């Protein structure tokens, strides 16, 4: 009798679970979300800390009195956007964009990890689509400088509207006026790019347990807003996913007890030349 009772209870629970799973979409979604909540998507680690330390030993260790401390691995958040845009009047292109949620810049390719320069300022200033009409016009020129008349012809707008756009950019410290000329208020801007990242590496999933994740400085919504403003009306975001870049911090202890830390991209094995943008 006890065995029969247990069998009936087991069948009832199994049947109930089956019915709930197949007919209650909200509960099924919740269970799947909980199951996946302990996983994060990252770009694949292709270089170990040990291999980087060995490959760059002569560069990092001046002599035997300088020693390596234990390396650390941290994960930096990026927004991966699946997008579509018009490259020509009769051609729509689909691709992906990888955009940092820490430094606010877009990655152009994952092999060399080239990035844009200037989007951070645009996000912080709240640049809108009209601001980007001025920004993109100036970014297309080799000198980065245009006068009022050339801007008016290039954008095909009347002087009254142009003055409103220019004043908005000036107030947001995005452009600088010198007499009748205007230029971007950025050193070596890199904003005139195709809205696509050349992604040469795989995404993988890993357990989020005991993973050190760097806090985001920008929200995903801010990135989406600036991308739509920058890339025009034909640009559309189909889906977004938060992914992470693994970065090693390799620390050397000097003979006097002081320490020097360098940062290394675990995906392509390259040293990060501007680590201050990561923190």
């Amino acid at each position: 009798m006890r065995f029969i009772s247990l069998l009936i209870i087991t069948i009832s629970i199994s049947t109930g679970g089956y019915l709930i799973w197949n007919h209650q979409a909200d509960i099924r979604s919740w269970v799947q979300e909980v199951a996946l909540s302990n996983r994060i998507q990252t770009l694949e680690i292709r270089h170990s800390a040990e291999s980087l330390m060995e490959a760059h030993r002569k560069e990092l260790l001046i002599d035997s009195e300088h020693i390596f401390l234990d390396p650390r691995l941290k994960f930096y958040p990026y927004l991966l956007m699946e997008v579509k845009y018009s490259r020509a009047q009769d051609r729509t292109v689909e691709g992906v964009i990888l955009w940092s949620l820490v430094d606010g810049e877009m990655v152009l390719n994952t092999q060399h990890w080239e990035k844009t320069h200037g989007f951070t300022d645009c996000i912080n200033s709240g640049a809108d689509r009209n601001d980007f009409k001025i920004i993109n016009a100036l970014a297309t020129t080799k000198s980065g400088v245009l006068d009022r008349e050339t801007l008016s012809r290039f954008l095909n707008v009347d002087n009254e509207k142009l003055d409103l756009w220019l004043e908005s950019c000036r107030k947001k410290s995005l452009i600088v006026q010198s007499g009748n000329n205007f230029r971007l208020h950025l050193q070596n801007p890199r904003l005139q790019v195709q809205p696509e990242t050349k992604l040469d590496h795989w995404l993988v999933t890993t357990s989020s347990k005991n993973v050190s994740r760097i806090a985001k400085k920008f929200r995903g919504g801010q990135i989406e807003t600036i991308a739509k403003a920058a890339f025009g009306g034909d640009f559309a975001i189909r889906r977004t996913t938060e992914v992470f870049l693994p970065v090693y911090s390799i620390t050397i202890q000097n003979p006097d007890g002081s320490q020097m830390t360098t940062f290394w991209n675990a995906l392509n094995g390259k040293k990060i030349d501007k680590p201050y943008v990561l923190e």
Side-chain angles (χ1 to χ4, degrees):
M1 288 295 293
R2 185 178 180 183
F3 172 77
I4 294 173
S5 297
L6 288 172
L7 181 62
I8 292 172
I9 291 171
T10 301
I11 292 172
S12 298
I13 292 173
S14 299
T15 303
Y18 174 83
L19 292 173
I20 289 173
W21 183 260
N22 285 279
H23 298 286
Q24 297 294 327
D26 291 342
I27 294 177
R28 185 169 66 249
S29 297
W30 177 79
V31 172
Q32 290 172 329
E33 184 177 339
V34 170
L36 293 173
S37 62
N38 64 342
R39 309 289 293 179
I40 59 172
Q41 280 194 298
T42 80
L43 290 156
E44 186 180 7
I45 296 176
R46 295 199 169 187
H47 298 264
S48 68
E50 290 72 24
S51 67
L52 292 171
M53 291 158 69
E54 184 60 33
H56 299 277
R57 176 177 293 273
K58 291 182 179 180
E59 171 190 345
L60 296 173
L61 299 182
I62 299 174
D63 53 39
S64 60
E65 294 185 349
H66 293 73
I67 60 172
F68 285 121
L69 300 182
D70 290 337
R72 294 183 180 181
L73 178 63
K74 295 183 178 181
F75 289 84
Y76 288 77
Y78 282 75
L79 189 69
L80 183 70
M81 298 184 284
E82 297 177 25
V83 304
K84 60 180 179 179
Y85 62 96
S86 294
R87 183 170 289 177
Q89 290 183 345
D90 59 348
R91 185 185 177 197
T92 293
V93 179
E94 297 178 357
V96 296
I97 294 178
L98 194 61
W99 206 302
S100 173
L101 291 166
V102 178
D103 69 21
E105 297 293 343
M106 170 185 160
V107 179
L108 301 178
N109 63 73
T110 57
Q111 183 177 2
H112 302 291
W113 212 258
E114 294 177 85
K115 284 187 172 184
T116 57
H117 177 60
F119 280 117
T120 307
D121 293 53
C122 295
I123 296 171
N124 289 331
S125 67
D128 58 27
R129 187 161 292 183
N130 288 332
D131 295 325
F132 268 100
K133 290 176 182 176
I134 300 294
I135 292 169
N136 288 334
L138 294 174
T140 57
T141 66
K142 188 174 181 179
S143 65
V145 178
L146 288 174
D147 58 37
R148 184 187 298 272
E149 290 72 24
T150 305
L151 273 170
S152 180
R153 290 195 303 272
F154 185 90
L155 296 172
N156 194 26
V157 293
D158 58 51
N159 287 331
E160 184 177 352
K161 183 175 290 187
L162 179 63
D163 286 341
L164 289 174
W165 293 353
L166 289 170
E167 183 60 24
S168 173
C169 287
R170 277 199 301 265
K171 285 183 177 179
K172 296 174 183 177
S173 298
L174 296 171
I175 65 171
V176 173
Q177 181 177 4
S178 179
N180 197 41
N181 293 328
F182 300 87
R183 64 171 175 83
L184 291 175
H185 195 18
L186 293 164
Q187 183 178 359
N188 301 321
R190 193 172 190 181
L191 296 167
Q192 197 68 19
V193 297
Q194 290 285 351
E196 186 173 358
T197 300
K198 187 176 181 183
L199 197 65
D200 294 325
H201 301 86
W202 292 102
L203 284 172
V204 298
T205 59
T206 188
S207 172
S208 61
K209 187 177 180 181
N210 299 324
V211 164
S212 179
R213 283 184 276 185
I214 299 300
K216 292 178 283 189
K217 293 185 179 179
F218 296 98
R219 292 177 285 103
Q222 290 176 288
I223 303 301
E224 292 183 55
T225 297
I226 209 68
K228 290 175 181 176
F231 298 129
D234 294 329
F235 173 83
I237 300 170
R238 306 169 69 189
R239 193 174 72 160
T240 64
T241 308
E242 188 173 297
V243 302
F244 293 84
L245 170 70
V247 173
Y248 291 114
S249 57
I250 296 176
T251 301
I252 295 92
Q253 182 165 296
N254 301 321
D256 62 1
S258 61
Q259 297 177 355
M260 180 189 73
T261 300
T262 55
F263 295 84
W264 300 79
N265 186 321
L267 174 71
N268 61 16
K270 296 184 181 297
K271 184 179 179 182
I272 298 172
D273 293 327
K274 297 180 179 179
Y276 59 82
V277 303
L278 297 178
E279 301 297 341

